[in-house]
Amino acid sequence: MTRDPIATARTLSEALPYLQRYAGAVVVVKFGGNAMGDEAAMAEFARDIVLMRQVGVNPVVVHGGGPMINELLGKLGIKSEFVRGKRVTDKATVEVVEMVLSGLVNKRIVQAINDQGGRAVGISGKDDDLMVCVADDPDLGFVGKPVEMNVQVLRDLYNAGIIPVVAPVATGMADNETFNVNGDTAAGAIAGALQADRLLLLTDVAGVKDASGEVLSQLTPSQVREMVASGTISGGMIPKTETALAALDEGVRAVVILDGRTPNACLIEIFTDEGAGTIIRS
Ligand code: X2W
């Protein structure tokens, strides 16, 4: 691809007001398993995160990995089912969840960021008691609901120039408990506790759609509530919008639901007028 150097310079120049606005901002990015794609897509995501860090944003990555958990559970012959978007998690399942999320997926993202010249450190909700949970619902087993957040470890990391990458696995109130936390829930709780400027929920759909299937670029919390009540927002979008509303209540300035498979999705959202996906704010 030949690039016009004047256009490249113009693009950079036009980004200046955004670079100024976001200098020092805390942006929590939820990278869902469905948004991860192949190695090239992972490298591109990592590059966007490193670029954000380079221009003075404090990105905090919280990841999922549902499809990767399904794959290992399948190989081990462990059956798995979802109730209201959450995986029913017994003792054997929670061990696999922790192995896949804290091991495989977390380290893959850490490595991709470091390969782009960033300094990523991978942790889970267990590290420094970042996220302490109770059982979300007795029917779901070891699915955690965050009840205590200790986010100082994240501030310590980003203040030292490090990009934290967090696996949504958490500790309980009792000794030795492990909880599986929905990735969106974990990202929302972390963004809320950090009073983040932005929470970006990267998924595999373009955003929140209206009844005719058009992606809406902006919504208020009350519009979201109406759309949930009327059934326009349904399925997997319900937990995402619930997370968004809870995060806004806790003081996050805006939440964006966007397609993580779009090239440079994070940069389009943060550094252009158009933005990407659906932004939810009061
Ligand atoms: C999720 C954690 C991973 C996740 C699970 O077990 O699949 C619960 O459902 P995605 O890729 O973001 O869907 N936990 C409780 O959230 O992954």
Side-chain angles (χ1 to χ4, degrees):
M1 184 167 54
T2 53
R3 280 210 186 87
D4 172 4
I6 297 173
T8 305
R10 174 115 325 261
T11 305
L12 274 171
S13 171
E14 281 168 4
L16 179 63
Y18 299 95
L19 298 177
Q20 289 168 328
R21 185 190 307 162
Y22 282 101
V26 175
V27 176
V28 175
V29 182
K30 155 74 194 323
F31 193 30
N34 288 318
M36 279 174 206
D38 60 11
E39 234 170 87
M42 175 70 87
E44 191 152 299
F45 166 80
R47 209 176 157 82
D48 284 4
I49 297 292
V50 174
L51 192 148
M52 275 197 235
R53 176 73 244 179
Q54 189 69 40
V55 299
V57 174
N58 295 305
V60 173
V61 177
V62 181
H63 62 86
M68 297 77 183
I69 297 168
N70 291 342
E71 200 182 319
L72 185 56
L73 286 172
K75 283 181 187 161
L76 295 169
I78 300 172
K79 287 208 166 33
S80 195
E81 60 163 339
F82 284 82
V83 173
R84 291 180 298 279
K86 292 176 184 168
R87 188 187 306 276
V88 179
T89 305
D90 63 9
K91 189 94 180 99
T93 303
V94 82
E95 288 186 356
V96 175
V97 167
E98 185 167 32
M99 281 185 228
V100 171
L101 295 181
S102 289
L104 200 71
V105 178
N106 188 271
K107 297 312 157 197
R108 206 179 142 209
I109 298 169
V110 164
Q111 201 169 14
I113 291 174
N114 295 343
D115 285 348
Q116 298 299 326
R119 292 180 64 208
V121 168
I123 62 173
S124 82
K126 285 188 174 179
D127 290 270
D128 204 26
D129 281 341
L130 166 61
M131 189 162 57
V132 182
C133 286
V134 294
D136 187 12
D137 174 336
D139 294 345
L140 298 175
F142 296 101
V143 169
K145 176 166 92 177
V147 287
E148 186 191 309
M149 303 300 293
N150 300 296
V151 288
Q152 188 58 38
V153 64
L154 300 176
R155 296 192 192 105
D156 291 345
L157 289 169
Y158 66 63
N159 287 334
I162 293 167
I163 300 166
V165 178
V166 184
V169 175
T171 200
M173 306 292 273
D175 287 348
N176 254 322
E177 273 182 318
T178 299
F179 283 108
N180 175 14
V181 187
N182 172 273
D184 293 330
T185 307
I190 288 170
L194 286 171
Q195 304 271 293
D197 296 278
R198 284 278 184 283
L199 167 61
L200 309 185
L201 297 173
L202 265 52
T203 182
D204 59 352
V205 293
V208 181
K209 294 175 182 164
D210 66 13
S212 66
E214 286 286 308
V215 173
L216 298 160
S217 59
Q218 284 199 43
L219 284 171
T220 62
S222 56
Q223 287 172 317
V224 170
R225 277 186 213 103
E226 280 164 25
M227 288 172 73
V228 171
S230 69
T232 310
I233 291 176
S234 63
M237 198 48 85
I238 293 177
K240 288 196 194 300
T241 51
E242 274 175 359
T243 296
L245 299 188
L248 291 171
D249 268 351
E250 286 175 41
V252 174
R253 280 171 44 199
V255 182
V256 187
I257 299 175
L258 68 167
D259 191 343
R261 300 163 311 165
T262 307
N264 303 111
C266 294
L267 299 189
I268 295 171
E269 171 46 35
I270 302 283
F271 298 124
T272 74
D273 262 340
E274 288 75 19
T278 304
I279 186 162
I280 305 173
R281 66 180 148 202
S282 305

